[in-house]
């Protein structure tokens, strides 16, 4: 009780809330930043947690405490990028230059050929930019790059910025630490694939994947029958189309076909079903729009053929992260689950 009262007083009488019960994570962040500045050790970290749990506050507190050391405060440069704002890699690079007051470095990273100015490839521009951060004595200040909404950077085409930053963490003379902050892990793992090993620690990410799998089962257990029917229909459609995203019209058609023959009492009109789909998107069991196209294994022909209509609500691509195995496990434990739905998910018929 004393612990609870102490924390209540702290929250009521302090304008800034200190992080509580995150001592190990705070220590890890401080050690990483100190190693970056003092020993020149490049590194990369990923901070994952639901919105509002204190990810940004944790990072801010770690920076505030390590900057009490004059050596760290003098030799640390910090850049903050946000996936919601910096929607492409070159925009992000320009923002880095602007925050570091080094815009001239980007203007110099062009080659003149026969009087024409030709831009260097992005990777060379980034390398040129980092080389230009060295001081006149040949020493290099340490650079901390914080990527908020990290999952959105993973959705950039080819992830050129991320791959080059991770490569710089391993081979550049400029000490760099990349810290990603996100509330969503699955899109990152799906997009980076085998290259997720570039993010340290690997064990942390793998354990989070396992926790996310358990969280999926818990989320599915809290759904109503209508939402489970939509998830089951979407999973079945993805199996048919080899993980290609589908839209609401196709989803509703298949859902209605099943309900008319097997579960007529669970057949609802489109507005009701659309609202249930919104709930699934909000719970992050389903994604829609461009993110669905990026995460799925869709091909270019699909994107081209549907580029004119994907902005319409009923035709936005949909993709579910739920696997057949996870759905089966959930339905087997779901109380009062319709037998027809359970049999349909277990069967290989469509």
């Amino acid at each position: 009780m004393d612990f609870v009262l102490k924390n209540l007083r702290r929250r009521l009488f302090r304008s800034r809330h200190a992080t509580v019960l995150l001592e190990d994570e705070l220590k890890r962040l401080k050690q990483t930043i100190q190693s970056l500045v003092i020993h020149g050790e490049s590194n990369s970290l990923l901070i994952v947690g639901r919105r509002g749990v204190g990810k940004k506050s944790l990072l801010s507190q770690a920076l505030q405490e390590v900057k009490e050391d004059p050596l760290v405060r003098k030799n640390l440069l910090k850049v903050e990028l946000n996936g919601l704002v910096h929607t492409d890699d070159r925009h992000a690079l320009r923002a880095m230059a602007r925050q570091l007051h080094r815009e001239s470095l980007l203007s110099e990273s062009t080659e003149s050929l026969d009087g024409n100015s030709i831009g260097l490839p992005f990777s060379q521009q980034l390398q040129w930019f980092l080389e230009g951060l060295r001081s006149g004595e040949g020493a290099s200040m340490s650079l901390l790059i914080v990527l908020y909404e990290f999952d959105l950077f993973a959705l950039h085409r080819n992830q050129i910025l991320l791959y080059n930053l991770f490569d710089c963490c391993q081979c550049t003379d400029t000490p760099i630490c990349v810290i990603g902050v996100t509330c969503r892990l699955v899109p990152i793992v799906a997009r980076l694939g085998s290259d997720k090993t570039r993010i340290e620690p690997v064990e942390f990410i793998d354990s989070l994947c396992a926790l996310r799998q358990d969280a999926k089962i818990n989320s599915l257990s809290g759904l109503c029958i209508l939402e489970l029917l939509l998830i089951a229909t979407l999973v079945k459609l993805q199996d048919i189309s080899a993980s290609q995203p589908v839209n609401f019209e196709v989803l509703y058609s298949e859902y209605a076909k099943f309900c008319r023959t097997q579960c007529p009492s669970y057949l609802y009109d489109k507005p009701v079903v659309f609202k249930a789909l919104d709930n699934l998107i909000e719970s992050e069991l389903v994604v829609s729009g461009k993110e669905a196209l990026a995460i799925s294994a869709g091909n270019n022909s699909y994107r081209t053929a549907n580029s004119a209509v994907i902005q319409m609500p009923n035709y936005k691509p949909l993709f579910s992260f739920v696997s057949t195995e996870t759905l089966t496990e959930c339905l087997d434990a779901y109380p009062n689950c319709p037998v027809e739905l359970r049999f349909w998910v277990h069967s290989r018929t469509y």
Side-chain angles (χ1 to χ4, degrees), residues 19-150:
T19 54
V20 180
L21 303 178
L22 294 173
E23 289 80 7
D24 293 339
E25 291 80 0
L26 180 62
K27 181 180 179 181
R28 174 67 187 275
L29 277 173
K30 291 169 59 177
Q31 288 177 344
T32 300
I33 299 173
Q34 288 170 343
S35 297
L36 169 72
V37 179
I38 298 174
H39 304 294
E41 297 179 1
S42 298
N43 208 335
S44 53
L45 289 173
L46 187 62
I47 304 175
V48 184
R50 288 188 173 275
R51 296 192 185 278
V53 299
K55 301 184 295 296
K56 187 174 181 179
S57 298
L58 178 68
L59 180 57
S60 298
Q61 183 174 342
L63 283 169
Q64 181 181 356
E65 293 184 9
V66 297
K67 284 185 176 180
E68 294 176 358
D69 184 346
L71 178 62
V72 175
R73 185 170 59 251
K74 180 181 178 181
N75 293 283
L76 179 64
L77 298 173
K78 185 182 73 168
V79 171
E80 293 183 341
L81 302 176
N82 193 304
L84 294 171
V85 178
H86 307 104
T87 55
D88 62 79
D89 293 337
R90 294 191 181 276
H91 186 193
L93 183 58
R94 288 194 295 269
M96 289 174 57
R98 185 165 54 252
Q99 292 183 39
L100 296 172
H101 307 289
R102 296 291 193 276
E103 294 93 333
S104 59
L105 293 178
L106 288 185
S107 61
E108 294 172 0
S109 62
T110 56
E111 295 179 342
S112 180
L113 183 61
D114 297 332
N116 296 322
S117 181
I118 301 177
L120 296 176
F122 179 83
S123 58
Q124 295 184 26
Q125 281 197 21
L126 180 61
Q127 189 64 34
W128 180 290
F129 176 75
L130 295 175
E131 290 289 337
L133 293 178
R134 296 184 185 181
S135 62
E137 293 79 11
S140 178
M141 295 188 70
S142 302
L143 179 60
L144 175 65
I145 302 176
V146 183
L147 303 178
Y148 295 107
E149 306 294 340
F150 183 84

Side-chain angles (χ1 to χ4, degrees), residues 203-224:
E203 296 81 4
F204 179 60
I205 288 186
D206 291 337
S207 63
L208 279 173
C209 288
L211 290 174
R212 185 60 180 259
Q213 189 71 9
D214 294 337
K216 283 184 190 176
I217 297 176
N218 293 334
S219 298
L220 289 171
S221 301
L223 299 180
C224 65

Side-chain angles (χ1 to χ4, degrees), residues 105 176 187 196 222 303 314:
L105 293 178
I176 294 179
K196 69 178 181 179
R303 290 195 292 267
N314 285 20

Side-chain angles (χ1 to χ4, degrees), residues 283-323:
S283 64
E284 298 185 357
L285 292 171
V286 176
V287 293
S288 66
K290 293 182 179 179
E291 188 174 359
L293 287 175
I295 296 173
S296 70
N299 54 41
N300 293 329
S301 61
Y302 180 91
R303 290 195 292 267
T304 302
N306 293 272
S307 59
V309 296
I310 60 174
Q311 298 302 323
M312 301 174 63
N314 285 20
Y315 292 93
K316 283 187 175 181
L318 302 171
F319 187 84
S320 175
F321 294 121
V322 180
S323 64

